[in-house]
Amino acid sequence: MIGEFTKGLIKENPVLCLVLGTCPTLAVTTGVKSALGMGIAATAVLVCSNSVISLLRKLIPNRVRIPAYITVIAAFVTIVQMIVKAYAPSLDRSLGVYLPLIVVNCIILGRAEMFASKHPVLPSMLDGLGMGIGFTAALFLMGSIREILGAGSWLGFPIPFFDSHPVLIFILPPGGFFVFGMLMAAANKLNKAASEKQSACDSCPMSAACKSGGEGAHS
Amino acid sequence: MSAAQLVGVFLASILTENYILCKFFGICPFLGVSKKLDTALGMSAAVTLVMVISTAVTWPIYTYLLVPNDMDYLRTLVFILVIAGLVQLIEIVMKRYLTSLYRALGIYLPLITTNCAVLGVTMLVLDKGAEDPSFGYLAALINAFGAGIGFLIAMVMFAGVRERLESADIPESLRGLPITLVSAALVACSFLGFSGIADKLL
C-alpha cells in the first residue's frame, strides 16, 4: 500500500519520468509561488477524482468512461477554482487560465484510466496523493531554478549575487523549455538502471489513437 | 473593432501569443506528432478546425446562456463537455460527407478533446472580451483561427528542426525528449523577437 504512494514521488514521477502534464509544468513555473499553487490545486483534484472514479468504477460503462471521467474531473476543478478565487485571489490571477485547464491535465485523466478505474478506493487515493506530490515536487524544483536564475529571488525573497545578475530568459518561455529539457536529461541519467519503465504514451488514455496518428514522444 | 484591429488580433495570436511557443498550450501534440511534416500538418489542421468551431459554439453559450443565468462558474464543465461532443460530431459529419478530409485528419480528432490549446482558446477569448468590450464574437473567431495558424506554424517549423536532429550525434542522456525540449527552447527564442510588433499594429 505504501508503494502506491511512494512510486509517484521518484520512480514514476509524472513529470520527469512519465512526461505527463507538460503544459502547466512549463507555463506556471516562472515563480515558486505559482508553481506550488498549481501543484497543490492539481493534487487536490487528483486525490478527489481518483477516489470518486474508483468508487464508481463498477457503475461506469466501459464505452463512455472517458466522458464520465472528464465530467468528474471538471466538477472537482470547478470546486477548486471557486475555493482559490475566494481565498487566494492573487494565486488565481497568477495562474489565470491554467487553473481551469487542470481539467485537461493528462496526469489526472491518465491516473483515472490507468489506476483508479481498476483499484479500490484507498490505494487510488494514495496513488493520487503520491502522483500529486511528485507533480508538485517537480514543479517546485523547476520553479525554484527558474525564479532564482531568472528573477534573482526565491519565493519573492531576493538571493544575494543572483538578484544583481538576473538572467531574464529563464523566466521567459524559452527558459521553460530549456530547464525542463535539462531536468529530464538529469532524470534520464539517474534513472538509467530503471530502463524498463513504461513510456509516457502508455499512461495516456489517448495513446492508441496517438500511436496510429504518429510516433509517440518516446519511440 | 476596425478591420485593422482585427488584422492586429490575427497577427498577435500567431506571433506574440503563439499558443505553443509563448503560452505552452498543446505541448503533448507538439512533442508527440511533430516528428514528420505530414503528421504535423494534419494534426495542426485538425486543431485549427476544432478551435474555430468550438469558439463559434462556446462563445454564444457563455455570453447568452451562462452569464444571464448567473452560471458562469460552470464554464469549465460546460466547455469541456461541449468540446468533447463537438469533436465527436465533427468526426461523424466528416466521415459521412467529407471522406477524403476524414482520411487525412480523422485519426487526430479523438486526440483533440484533451488538447489544452482548444479549451484554452475558448476561455482566453472570453477573458479578453471581459477586459475589452469591443472584443466581440468576430474578434474571438479571428483570434481562434489565428491561434490555430500559429499552432500550425510552430508545428511545421519544429518538424523541420526535428528532421535535422535525427541525424545529429547527441550525448546519450540528452537523446530523445531532452534534446527536443532544448531545440524547442531555441525555436521559442526566435518567437521572442516578435514581441512588440503586433502591439504596434493594434
Side-chain angles (χ1 to χ4, degrees), chain A residues 19 22-23 26-27 70-71 74-75 78 81 97-98 100-101 103-104 106 109 172-174 177-178 180-181 184-185 188-189 206 210 213 215 219, chain B residues 21-28 32 35-36 39 73 76-77 80-81 107-108 110-111 114 116 119-120 123 173-174 177-178 181 184-185 189 192:
Chain A
V19 206
T22 43
C23 303
L26 291 163
I70 291 179
T71 314
T78 307
Q81 210 181 338
V97 74
Y98 294 100
L101 283 183
V103 175
V104 282
C106 31
L109 196 57
L172 293 174
F177 282 115
F178 183 75
F180 193 28
M184 214 182 277
N188 274 357
K189 189 109 186 159
M206 304 293 165
C210 186
E215 293 158 66
S219 59
Chain B
L21 297 169
C22 305
K23 288 197 186 290
F24 303 121
F25 290 146
I27 300 294
C28 299
K35 266 200 167 169
K36 280 195 230 102
T39 52
Y73 60 89
T76 314
L77 188 65
I80 187 75
L81 291 177
I107 43 173
Y108 306 106
L111 288 172
T114 53
C116 47
L119 187 60
M123 290 182 172
S173 49
L174 276 171
L177 268 185
L181 283 162
C189 269
L192 273 187

Short mmCIF file of all heavy atoms in Angstrom, two decimals, chain A residues 19 22-23 26-27 70-71 74-75 78 81 97-98 100-101 103-104 106 109 172-174 177-178 180-181 184-185 188-189 206 210 213 215 219, chain B residues 21-28 32 35-36 39 73 76-77 80-81 107-108 110-111 114 116 119-120 123 173-174 177-178 181 184-185 189 192:
data_model
loop_
_atom_site.label_atom_id
_atom_site.label_comp_id
_atom_site.label_asym_id
_atom_site.label_seq_id
_atom_site.Cartn_x
_atom_site.Cartn_y
_atom_site.Cartn_z
N VAL A 19 6.51 11.99 -18.27
CA VAL A 19 6.31 13.12 -19.18
C VAL A 19 4.83 13.43 -19.41
O VAL A 19 4.36 13.50 -20.54
CB VAL A 19 7.02 12.94 -20.52
CG1 VAL A 19 7.34 14.31 -21.11
CG2 VAL A 19 8.28 12.17 -20.37
N THR A 22 2.82 18.33 -19.21
CA THR A 22 3.92 19.23 -19.56
C THR A 22 3.47 20.68 -19.68
O THR A 22 4.25 21.58 -19.39
CB THR A 22 4.54 18.82 -20.90
OG1 THR A 22 3.49 18.51 -21.78
CG2 THR A 22 5.46 17.64 -20.74
N CYS A 23 2.21 20.89 -20.11
CA CYS A 23 1.80 22.29 -20.34
C CYS A 23 1.86 23.12 -19.06
O CYS A 23 2.52 24.15 -19.05
CB CYS A 23 0.41 22.35 -20.97
SG CYS A 23 0.29 21.43 -22.49
N LEU A 26 5.48 23.79 -17.81
CA LEU A 26 6.23 24.85 -18.46
C LEU A 26 5.63 26.22 -18.17
O LEU A 26 6.35 27.20 -18.03
CB LEU A 26 6.24 24.61 -19.98
CG LEU A 26 7.05 23.41 -20.43
CD1 LEU A 26 6.67 23.03 -21.84
CD2 LEU A 26 8.52 23.73 -20.36
N ALA A 27 4.31 26.28 -18.05
CA ALA A 27 3.66 27.60 -18.04
C ALA A 27 3.71 28.28 -16.68
O ALA A 27 3.92 29.49 -16.62
CB ALA A 27 2.22 27.46 -18.49
N ILE A 70 -14.03 12.72 -17.46
CA ILE A 70 -13.81 14.16 -17.68
C ILE A 70 -14.84 14.96 -16.89
O ILE A 70 -14.52 16.00 -16.29
CB ILE A 70 -13.87 14.49 -19.19
CG1 ILE A 70 -12.65 13.89 -19.90
CG2 ILE A 70 -13.88 16.00 -19.41
CD1 ILE A 70 -12.60 14.14 -21.38
N THR A 71 -16.09 14.46 -16.83
CA THR A 71 -17.11 15.19 -16.08
C THR A 71 -16.77 15.25 -14.60
O THR A 71 -16.87 16.31 -13.97
CB THR A 71 -18.47 14.51 -16.28
OG1 THR A 71 -18.63 14.22 -17.66
CG2 THR A 71 -19.59 15.38 -15.80
N ALA A 74 -13.88 17.63 -14.16
CA ALA A 74 -14.27 19.03 -14.36
C ALA A 74 -15.04 19.55 -13.15
O ALA A 74 -14.87 20.71 -12.76
CB ALA A 74 -15.12 19.16 -15.62
N ALA A 75 -15.85 18.69 -12.53
CA ALA A 75 -16.59 19.13 -11.35
C ALA A 75 -15.62 19.50 -10.24
O ALA A 75 -15.76 20.57 -9.62
CB ALA A 75 -17.52 18.01 -10.89
N THR A 78 -13.81 22.74 -10.97
CA THR A 78 -14.65 23.91 -10.71
C THR A 78 -14.67 24.24 -9.22
O THR A 78 -14.58 25.41 -8.84
CB THR A 78 -16.07 23.64 -11.22
OG1 THR A 78 -15.98 23.21 -12.57
CG2 THR A 78 -16.93 24.88 -11.15
N GLN A 81 -11.38 25.75 -8.29
CA GLN A 81 -11.32 27.08 -8.87
C GLN A 81 -12.06 28.08 -7.99
O GLN A 81 -11.58 29.19 -7.73
CB GLN A 81 -11.98 27.01 -10.25
CG GLN A 81 -11.45 27.98 -11.26
CD GLN A 81 -12.22 27.82 -12.57
OE1 GLN A 81 -12.83 26.78 -12.84
NE2 GLN A 81 -12.19 28.85 -13.38
N VAL A 97 -5.72 31.27 -16.74
CA VAL A 97 -6.50 30.25 -17.43
C VAL A 97 -5.95 28.85 -17.18
O VAL A 97 -6.62 27.86 -17.42
CB VAL A 97 -6.55 30.59 -18.94
CG1 VAL A 97 -5.24 30.29 -19.61
CG2 VAL A 97 -7.69 29.86 -19.62
N TYR A 98 -4.72 28.76 -16.63
CA TYR A 98 -4.15 27.43 -16.39
C TYR A 98 -4.86 26.71 -15.26
O TYR A 98 -4.77 25.49 -15.15
CB TYR A 98 -2.65 27.53 -16.10
CG TYR A 98 -1.89 28.02 -17.30
CD1 TYR A 98 -1.49 29.33 -17.41
CD2 TYR A 98 -1.64 27.17 -18.37
CE1 TYR A 98 -0.83 29.79 -18.53
CE2 TYR A 98 -0.99 27.62 -19.49
CZ TYR A 98 -0.59 28.93 -19.57
OH TYR A 98 0.05 29.38 -20.68
N PRO A 100 -8.37 26.54 -14.67
CA PRO A 100 -9.39 25.66 -15.26
C PRO A 100 -8.80 24.61 -16.18
O PRO A 100 -9.39 23.54 -16.36
CB PRO A 100 -10.31 26.62 -16.01
CG PRO A 100 -9.59 27.90 -16.11
CD PRO A 100 -8.67 27.96 -14.94
N LEU A 101 -7.62 24.87 -16.74
CA LEU A 101 -7.05 23.89 -17.67
C LEU A 101 -6.55 22.63 -16.97
O LEU A 101 -6.09 21.71 -17.63
CB LEU A 101 -5.92 24.52 -18.49
CG LEU A 101 -6.37 25.44 -19.62
CD1 LEU A 101 -5.19 25.94 -20.40
CD2 LEU A 101 -7.34 24.75 -20.54
N VAL A 103 -8.38 20.57 -15.94
CA VAL A 103 -9.30 19.56 -16.50
C VAL A 103 -8.61 18.68 -17.54
O VAL A 103 -8.80 17.47 -17.57
CB VAL A 103 -10.50 20.25 -17.18
CG1 VAL A 103 -11.38 19.24 -17.86
CG2 VAL A 103 -11.29 21.04 -16.19
N VAL A 104 -7.83 19.31 -18.41
CA VAL A 104 -7.22 18.54 -19.48
C VAL A 104 -5.77 18.16 -19.16
O VAL A 104 -5.05 17.74 -20.05
CB VAL A 104 -7.28 19.29 -20.83
CG1 VAL A 104 -8.65 19.20 -21.42
CG2 VAL A 104 -6.87 20.74 -20.68
N CYS A 106 -3.13 15.77 -18.45
CA CYS A 106 -3.23 14.34 -18.72
C CYS A 106 -2.78 13.49 -17.54
O CYS A 106 -3.06 12.29 -17.52
CB CYS A 106 -2.51 13.93 -20.00
SG CYS A 106 -1.11 14.92 -20.43
N LEU A 109 -6.35 12.55 -15.93
CA LEU A 109 -7.08 11.59 -16.75
C LEU A 109 -6.29 10.28 -16.86
O LEU A 109 -6.86 9.19 -16.84
CB LEU A 109 -7.32 12.19 -18.14
CG LEU A 109 -8.37 11.50 -19.00
CD1 LEU A 109 -9.69 11.46 -18.28
CD2 LEU A 109 -8.54 12.23 -20.32
N LEU A 172 11.34 33.63 -19.20
CA LEU A 172 10.61 33.74 -20.45
C LEU A 172 10.36 32.33 -20.99
O LEU A 172 10.98 31.37 -20.53
CB LEU A 172 11.44 34.58 -21.44
CG LEU A 172 11.60 36.06 -21.04
CD1 LEU A 172 12.54 36.76 -22.00
CD2 LEU A 172 10.25 36.75 -21.02
N PRO A 173 9.47 32.18 -21.98
CA PRO A 173 9.14 30.84 -22.48
C PRO A 173 10.34 29.96 -22.85
O PRO A 173 10.36 28.79 -22.47
CB PRO A 173 8.25 31.12 -23.68
CG PRO A 173 7.60 32.41 -23.37
CD PRO A 173 8.59 33.21 -22.59
N PRO A 174 11.36 30.46 -23.57
CA PRO A 174 12.47 29.56 -23.94
C PRO A 174 13.14 28.93 -22.71
O PRO A 174 13.53 27.77 -22.74
CB PRO A 174 13.44 30.47 -24.69
CG PRO A 174 12.64 31.62 -25.13
CD PRO A 174 11.57 31.81 -24.13
N PHE A 177 11.37 25.72 -21.60
CA PHE A 177 11.73 24.54 -22.39
C PHE A 177 13.12 24.05 -22.02
O PHE A 177 13.36 22.85 -21.87
CB PHE A 177 11.70 24.89 -23.89
CG PHE A 177 10.34 24.95 -24.50
CD1 PHE A 177 9.83 26.14 -24.98
CD2 PHE A 177 9.56 23.82 -24.61
CE1 PHE A 177 8.58 26.20 -25.56
CE2 PHE A 177 8.31 23.86 -25.19
CZ PHE A 177 7.81 25.06 -25.67
N PHE A 178 14.05 25.02 -21.86
CA PHE A 178 15.44 24.64 -21.63
C PHE A 178 15.61 23.94 -20.28
O PHE A 178 16.21 22.86 -20.19
CB PHE A 178 16.32 25.89 -21.71
CG PHE A 178 17.78 25.61 -21.56
CD1 PHE A 178 18.48 25.05 -22.60
CD2 PHE A 178 18.44 25.87 -20.37
CE1 PHE A 178 19.83 24.77 -22.45
CE2 PHE A 178 19.78 25.59 -20.22
CZ PHE A 178 20.48 25.04 -21.27
N PHE A 180 13.37 22.47 -18.47
CA PHE A 180 12.66 21.19 -18.49
C PHE A 180 13.50 20.13 -19.20
O PHE A 180 13.64 18.99 -18.73
CB PHE A 180 11.31 21.37 -19.17
CG PHE A 180 10.37 20.23 -18.99
CD1 PHE A 180 10.44 19.41 -17.88
CD2 PHE A 180 9.38 19.98 -19.92
CE1 PHE A 180 9.56 18.36 -17.70
CE2 PHE A 180 8.50 18.93 -19.76
CZ PHE A 180 8.59 18.12 -18.65
N GLY A 181 14.10 20.51 -20.33
CA GLY A 181 14.93 19.57 -21.07
C GLY A 181 16.12 19.11 -20.25
O GLY A 181 16.45 17.92 -20.20
N MET A 184 15.06 16.79 -17.46
CA MET A 184 14.73 15.46 -17.96
C MET A 184 15.99 14.68 -18.31
O MET A 184 16.05 13.46 -18.08
CB MET A 184 13.84 15.61 -19.18
CG MET A 184 12.83 14.51 -19.29
SD MET A 184 11.90 14.75 -20.74
CE MET A 184 10.72 15.89 -20.17
N ALA A 185 16.99 15.39 -18.82
CA ALA A 185 18.26 14.72 -19.11
C ALA A 185 18.88 14.20 -17.81
O ALA A 185 19.39 13.07 -17.76
CB ALA A 185 19.22 15.70 -19.80
N ASN A 188 17.02 11.17 -16.75
CA ASN A 188 17.43 10.04 -17.59
C ASN A 188 18.72 9.42 -17.08
O ASN A 188 18.87 8.20 -17.00
CB ASN A 188 17.67 10.51 -19.02
CG ASN A 188 16.41 10.53 -19.84
OD1 ASN A 188 15.35 10.14 -19.34
ND2 ASN A 188 16.51 10.98 -21.07
N LYS A 189 19.65 10.29 -16.75
CA LYS A 189 20.96 9.85 -16.30
C LYS A 189 20.83 9.05 -15.00
O LYS A 189 21.42 7.98 -14.85
CB LYS A 189 21.84 11.09 -16.07
CG LYS A 189 23.28 10.80 -15.81
CD LYS A 189 24.12 11.20 -17.01
CE LYS A 189 25.56 10.78 -16.80
NZ LYS A 189 26.28 10.68 -18.07
N MET A 206 -5.32 8.44 -24.56
CA MET A 206 -5.48 8.61 -26.00
C MET A 206 -4.36 7.91 -26.76
O MET A 206 -4.17 8.15 -27.94
CB MET A 206 -5.45 10.09 -26.35
CG MET A 206 -6.47 10.92 -25.63
SD MET A 206 -8.12 10.48 -26.18
CE MET A 206 -9.09 11.25 -24.89
N CYS A 210 -3.15 8.09 -30.71
CA CYS A 210 -1.94 8.88 -30.91
C CYS A 210 -0.90 8.08 -31.68
O CYS A 210 -0.28 8.57 -32.61
CB CYS A 210 -1.38 9.30 -29.56
SG CYS A 210 0.02 10.43 -29.64
N GLY A 213 -1.65 7.80 -35.17
CA GLY A 213 -1.54 9.08 -35.86
C GLY A 213 -0.11 9.47 -36.15
O GLY A 213 0.18 10.10 -37.13
N GLU A 215 4.23 8.87 -34.47
CA GLU A 215 5.00 8.19 -33.45
C GLU A 215 4.90 8.95 -32.16
O GLU A 215 4.82 10.17 -32.17
CB GLU A 215 6.45 8.10 -33.92
CG GLU A 215 6.58 7.20 -35.13
CD GLU A 215 7.84 7.53 -35.89
OE1 GLU A 215 8.93 7.30 -35.34
OE2 GLU A 215 7.73 8.01 -37.02
N SER A 219 9.99 7.03 -28.79
CA SER A 219 9.91 5.92 -29.72
C SER A 219 11.30 5.50 -30.11
O SER A 219 12.26 6.13 -29.74
CB SER A 219 9.11 6.31 -30.96
OG SER A 219 9.71 7.41 -31.57
N LEU B 21 4.58 28.16 -28.38
CA LEU B 21 5.91 28.65 -28.00
C LEU B 21 5.86 29.77 -26.98
O LEU B 21 6.86 30.03 -26.31
CB LEU B 21 6.66 29.10 -29.25
CG LEU B 21 6.93 27.96 -30.24
CD1 LEU B 21 7.43 28.49 -31.55
CD2 LEU B 21 7.92 26.98 -29.66
N CYS B 22 4.74 30.46 -26.85
CA CYS B 22 4.69 31.52 -25.84
C CYS B 22 3.76 31.19 -24.70
O CYS B 22 3.96 31.63 -23.58
CB CYS B 22 4.26 32.84 -26.48
SG CYS B 22 5.28 33.32 -27.86
N LYS B 23 2.70 30.44 -24.96
CA LYS B 23 1.72 30.17 -23.92
C LYS B 23 1.75 28.73 -23.41
O LYS B 23 1.04 28.40 -22.46
CB LYS B 23 0.32 30.50 -24.43
CG LYS B 23 0.08 31.97 -24.56
CD LYS B 23 -1.40 32.24 -24.64
CE LYS B 23 -1.72 33.67 -24.91
NZ LYS B 23 -1.42 34.55 -23.79
N PHE B 24 2.50 27.87 -24.05
CA PHE B 24 2.61 26.47 -23.63
C PHE B 24 1.28 25.74 -23.62
O PHE B 24 0.98 25.00 -22.69
CB PHE B 24 3.22 26.35 -22.24
CG PHE B 24 4.56 26.98 -22.10
CD1 PHE B 24 4.77 27.97 -21.20
CD2 PHE B 24 5.62 26.55 -22.87
CE1 PHE B 24 6.02 28.54 -21.06
CE2 PHE B 24 6.86 27.11 -22.74
CZ PHE B 24 7.06 28.12 -21.83
N PHE B 25 0.45 25.95 -24.63
CA PHE B 25 -0.74 25.11 -24.77
C PHE B 25 -0.44 24.05 -25.82
O PHE B 25 0.18 24.34 -26.83
CB PHE B 25 -1.94 25.92 -25.26
CG PHE B 25 -2.47 26.88 -24.25
CD1 PHE B 25 -2.99 28.09 -24.66
CD2 PHE B 25 -2.47 26.58 -22.91
CE1 PHE B 25 -3.50 28.99 -23.74
CE2 PHE B 25 -2.98 27.47 -21.99
CZ PHE B 25 -3.49 28.68 -22.41
N GLY B 26 -0.92 22.84 -25.58
CA GLY B 26 -0.76 21.81 -26.60
C GLY B 26 0.66 21.32 -26.76
O GLY B 26 1.12 21.07 -27.87
N ILE B 27 1.37 21.17 -25.64
CA ILE B 27 2.74 20.69 -25.72
C ILE B 27 2.78 19.19 -26.08
O ILE B 27 3.68 18.75 -26.77
CB ILE B 27 3.48 20.94 -24.39
CG1 ILE B 27 3.52 22.44 -24.08
CG2 ILE B 27 4.89 20.40 -24.43
CD1 ILE B 27 4.32 23.26 -25.02
N CYS B 28 1.77 18.44 -25.61
CA CYS B 28 1.78 16.99 -25.91
C CYS B 28 1.80 16.72 -27.41
O CYS B 28 2.68 16.03 -27.89
CB CYS B 28 0.61 16.28 -25.24
SG CYS B 28 0.63 16.41 -23.47
N GLY B 32 4.70 15.16 -29.49
CA GLY B 32 4.33 13.81 -29.93
C GLY B 32 4.28 13.64 -31.43
O GLY B 32 4.81 12.67 -31.96
N LYS B 35 7.19 14.78 -35.42
CA LYS B 35 8.37 14.12 -35.98
C LYS B 35 8.40 14.15 -37.50
O LYS B 35 9.46 14.21 -38.08
CB LYS B 35 8.42 12.66 -35.50
CG LYS B 35 9.28 12.54 -34.26
CD LYS B 35 9.73 11.12 -34.06
CE LYS B 35 10.82 11.09 -33.02
NZ LYS B 35 11.10 9.73 -32.60
N LYS B 36 7.22 14.08 -38.09
CA LYS B 36 7.18 14.11 -39.56
C LYS B 36 6.32 15.27 -40.00
O LYS B 36 5.34 15.63 -39.35
CB LYS B 36 6.62 12.79 -40.08
CG LYS B 36 7.65 11.69 -40.09
CD LYS B 36 7.18 10.53 -40.94
CE LYS B 36 7.29 9.21 -40.20
NZ LYS B 36 6.03 8.72 -39.68
N THR B 39 2.37 14.47 -40.65
CA THR B 39 1.54 14.31 -39.45
C THR B 39 1.41 15.64 -38.72
O THR B 39 0.35 15.96 -38.19
CB THR B 39 2.11 13.26 -38.50
OG1 THR B 39 3.47 13.56 -38.24
CG2 THR B 39 2.00 11.88 -39.04
N TYR B 73 -19.85 30.11 -13.34
CA TYR B 73 -18.90 29.22 -12.68
C TYR B 73 -18.91 27.83 -13.31
O TYR B 73 -18.00 27.03 -13.09
CB TYR B 73 -19.21 29.12 -11.18
CG TYR B 73 -20.58 28.59 -10.86
CD1 TYR B 73 -20.79 27.22 -10.71
CD2 TYR B 73 -21.67 29.44 -10.72
CE1 TYR B 73 -22.05 26.73 -10.44
CE2 TYR B 73 -22.93 28.96 -10.45
CZ TYR B 73 -23.12 27.59 -10.31
OH TYR B 73 -24.36 27.10 -10.05
N THR B 76 -16.03 25.86 -17.01
CA THR B 76 -15.09 24.78 -17.28
C THR B 76 -15.82 23.50 -17.65
O THR B 76 -15.52 22.84 -18.65
CB THR B 76 -14.22 24.53 -16.03
OG1 THR B 76 -13.79 25.77 -15.53
CG2 THR B 76 -13.05 23.67 -16.36
N LEU B 77 -16.80 23.14 -16.82
CA LEU B 77 -17.53 21.89 -17.00
C LEU B 77 -18.27 21.89 -18.33
O LEU B 77 -18.21 20.92 -19.11
CB LEU B 77 -18.50 21.73 -15.83
CG LEU B 77 -19.24 20.41 -15.72
CD1 LEU B 77 -18.25 19.31 -15.46
CD2 LEU B 77 -20.24 20.48 -14.59
N ILE B 80 -15.80 21.86 -21.55
CA ILE B 80 -15.10 20.61 -21.89
C ILE B 80 -16.09 19.60 -22.47
O ILE B 80 -15.77 18.87 -23.40
CB ILE B 80 -14.32 20.05 -20.67
CG1 ILE B 80 -13.45 18.86 -21.07
CG2 ILE B 80 -15.22 19.63 -19.55
CD1 ILE B 80 -12.23 19.20 -21.82
N LEU B 81 -17.33 19.60 -21.94
CA LEU B 81 -18.32 18.67 -22.47
C LEU B 81 -18.74 19.08 -23.88
O LEU B 81 -18.91 18.22 -24.76
CB LEU B 81 -19.53 18.60 -21.55
CG LEU B 81 -19.24 17.92 -20.21
CD1 LEU B 81 -20.46 17.95 -19.32
CD2 LEU B 81 -18.78 16.50 -20.42
N ILE B 107 -7.79 10.62 -37.81
CA ILE B 107 -7.09 9.98 -36.69
C ILE B 107 -6.66 10.96 -35.62
O ILE B 107 -6.44 10.58 -34.49
CB ILE B 107 -5.83 9.23 -37.19
CG1 ILE B 107 -5.09 10.06 -38.21
CG2 ILE B 107 -6.22 7.88 -37.74
CD1 ILE B 107 -3.77 9.47 -38.62
N TYR B 108 -6.57 12.25 -35.96
CA TYR B 108 -6.14 13.22 -34.96
C TYR B 108 -7.29 13.71 -34.11
O TYR B 108 -7.08 14.26 -33.04
CB TYR B 108 -5.46 14.41 -35.62
CG TYR B 108 -4.34 14.00 -36.52
CD1 TYR B 108 -4.46 14.05 -37.90
CD2 TYR B 108 -3.16 13.50 -35.98
CE1 TYR B 108 -3.45 13.65 -38.73
CE2 TYR B 108 -2.15 13.08 -36.80
CZ TYR B 108 -2.28 13.16 -38.18
OH TYR B 108 -1.29 12.75 -38.99
N PRO B 110 -9.83 12.38 -32.23
CA PRO B 110 -10.06 11.98 -30.83
C PRO B 110 -9.02 12.53 -29.88
O PRO B 110 -9.30 12.71 -28.69
CB PRO B 110 -10.00 10.45 -30.88
CG PRO B 110 -9.79 10.05 -32.26
CD PRO B 110 -9.66 11.24 -33.11
N LEU B 111 -7.84 12.83 -30.37
CA LEU B 111 -6.78 13.37 -29.50
C LEU B 111 -7.06 14.79 -29.05
O LEU B 111 -6.49 15.26 -28.08
CB LEU B 111 -5.46 13.42 -30.28
CG LEU B 111 -4.78 12.13 -30.58
CD1 LEU B 111 -3.63 12.38 -31.51
CD2 LEU B 111 -4.28 11.55 -29.29
N THR B 114 -8.72 16.34 -25.39
CA THR B 114 -7.92 16.64 -24.21
C THR B 114 -6.73 17.54 -24.53
O THR B 114 -5.79 17.60 -23.79
CB THR B 114 -7.41 15.36 -23.55
OG1 THR B 114 -6.75 14.60 -24.55
CG2 THR B 114 -8.52 14.58 -22.93
N CYS B 116 -5.12 20.98 -24.50
CA CYS B 116 -5.46 22.18 -23.73
C CYS B 116 -5.50 23.41 -24.61
O CYS B 116 -6.07 24.42 -24.22
CB CYS B 116 -4.54 22.37 -22.54
SG CYS B 116 -2.80 22.19 -22.87
N LEU B 119 -9.39 24.04 -25.35
CA LEU B 119 -10.09 24.58 -24.18
C LEU B 119 -9.51 25.95 -23.83
O LEU B 119 -10.24 26.87 -23.45
CB LEU B 119 -9.96 23.61 -23.01
CG LEU B 119 -10.77 23.93 -21.77
CD1 LEU B 119 -12.24 23.95 -22.08
CD2 LEU B 119 -10.51 22.90 -20.68
N GLY B 120 -8.19 26.09 -23.98
CA GLY B 120 -7.54 27.35 -23.65
C GLY B 120 -8.04 28.49 -24.51
O GLY B 120 -8.34 29.57 -23.99
N MET B 123 -11.48 29.81 -23.61
CA MET B 123 -11.55 30.58 -22.37
C MET B 123 -10.81 31.91 -22.50
O MET B 123 -11.26 32.92 -21.96
CB MET B 123 -10.93 29.78 -21.24
CG MET B 123 -11.78 28.61 -20.86
SD MET B 123 -11.05 27.74 -19.51
CE MET B 123 -12.37 26.61 -19.16
N SER B 173 22.48 10.83 -22.56
CA SER B 173 21.36 11.15 -21.66
C SER B 173 20.48 12.27 -22.21
O SER B 173 19.39 12.50 -21.71
CB SER B 173 21.87 11.50 -20.27
OG SER B 173 22.90 12.45 -20.38
N LEU B 174 20.94 12.95 -23.25
CA LEU B 174 20.11 14.00 -23.85
C LEU B 174 19.23 13.47 -24.97
O LEU B 174 18.38 14.17 -25.47
CB LEU B 174 21.00 15.12 -24.40
CG LEU B 174 21.45 16.19 -23.41
CD1 LEU B 174 22.48 17.08 -24.06
CD2 LEU B 174 20.29 17.01 -22.93
N LEU B 177 13.63 13.03 -25.72
CA LEU B 177 12.92 14.25 -25.34
C LEU B 177 13.80 15.40 -24.88
O LEU B 177 13.54 16.54 -25.27
CB LEU B 177 11.89 13.93 -24.26
CG LEU B 177 10.50 13.60 -24.77
CD1 LEU B 177 9.57 13.42 -23.59
CD2 LEU B 177 9.97 14.69 -25.68
N PRO B 178 14.84 15.17 -24.05
CA PRO B 178 15.59 16.34 -23.58
C PRO B 178 16.11 17.23 -24.70
O PRO B 178 15.91 18.45 -24.66
CB PRO B 178 16.74 15.71 -22.78
CG PRO B 178 16.19 14.43 -22.31
CD PRO B 178 15.27 13.95 -23.38
N LEU B 181 13.39 19.22 -26.27
CA LEU B 181 12.98 20.39 -25.49
C LEU B 181 13.99 21.52 -25.63
O LEU B 181 13.61 22.70 -25.71
CB LEU B 181 12.81 20.01 -24.02
CG LEU B 181 11.52 19.25 -23.74
CD1 LEU B 181 11.60 18.53 -22.42
CD2 LEU B 181 10.34 20.20 -23.75
N ALA B 184 13.35 23.09 -28.80
CA ALA B 184 12.13 23.90 -28.70
C ALA B 184 12.44 25.24 -28.05
O ALA B 184 11.87 26.27 -28.43
CB ALA B 184 11.07 23.15 -27.90
N ALA B 185 13.37 25.22 -27.08
CA ALA B 185 13.75 26.48 -26.43
C ALA B 185 14.34 27.44 -27.45
O ALA B 185 14.03 28.64 -27.44
CB ALA B 185 14.76 26.22 -25.31
N CYS B 189 12.93 31.04 -28.70
CA CYS B 189 13.74 32.27 -28.69
C CYS B 189 13.43 33.11 -29.91
O CYS B 189 13.32 34.33 -29.82
CB CYS B 189 15.22 31.92 -28.72
SG CYS B 189 15.94 31.75 -27.11
N LEU B 192 10.46 35.16 -29.54
CA LEU B 192 10.56 36.30 -28.62
C LEU B 192 10.79 37.58 -29.41
O LEU B 192 10.37 38.66 -29.00
CB LEU B 192 11.75 36.12 -27.68
CG LEU B 192 11.55 35.34 -26.40
CD1 LEU B 192 12.80 35.45 -25.57
CD2 LEU B 192 10.36 35.88 -25.65
#
